[in-house]
């Protein structure tokens, strides 16, 4: 089977991550995708060090709280599962 992109409608009142580029993303289960960091897409550009999980069964985002070593924001981060 192939994959197909489709537009989804999000609840405007729901919590969603800010738009970003140069982030890392990784599937952490059959239903969840984790994203971390990147650069905020709006001007002025801002380096991000936040984590979010998208539950693809209901298309809802959750901001994650985690402890991580301080990251030098000038470099990209790679994640894997």
């Amino acid at each position: 089977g192939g994959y197909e992109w489709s537009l989804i409608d999000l609840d405007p009142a729901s919590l969603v991550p800010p738009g970003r580029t140069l982030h890392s993303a990784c599937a952490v289960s059959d239903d969840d995708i984790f994203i971390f960091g990147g650069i905020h897409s709006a001007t002025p550009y801002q380096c991000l060090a936040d984590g979010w999980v998208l539950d693809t069964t209901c298309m809802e985002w959750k901001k994650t709280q985690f402890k991580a070593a301080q990251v030098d924001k000038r470099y990209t981060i790679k994640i894997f599962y």
Side-chain angles (χ1 to χ4, degrees), residues 39-53:
I39 298 174
H40 191 285
S41 301
T43 307
Y45 299 115
Q46 174 188 9
C47 291
L48 302 169
D50 57 344
W52 292 80
V53 174

Side-chain angles (χ1 to χ4, degrees), residues 20-31:
R20 62 191 66 212
T21 188
L22 300 174
H23 56 281
S24 294
C26 181
V28 292
S29 74
D30 287 342
D31 302 322

Side-chain angles (χ1 to χ4, degrees), residues 12-81:
S14 67
L15 189 63
V16 297
R20 62 191 66 212
T21 188
L22 300 174
H23 56 281
S24 294
C26 181
V28 292
S29 74
D30 287 342
D31 302 322
D32 295 332
I33 300 170
F34 174 71
I35 66 166
F36 177 79
I39 298 174
H40 191 285
S41 301
T43 307
Y45 299 115
Q46 174 188 9
C47 291
L48 302 169
D50 57 344
W52 292 80
V53 174
L54 175 64
D55 181 338
T56 61
T57 60
C58 59
M59 300 311 288
E60 289 183 0
W61 287 101
K62 294 182 182 120
K63 188 169 185 178
T64 61
Q65 300 295 325
F66 55 91
K67 293 182 181 181
Q70 183 64 30
V71 176
D72 185 337
K73 294 180 182 178
R74 294 177 297 169
Y75 300 101
T76 59
I77 301 295
K78 296 184 178 38
I79 59 176
F80 60 93
Y81 175 74

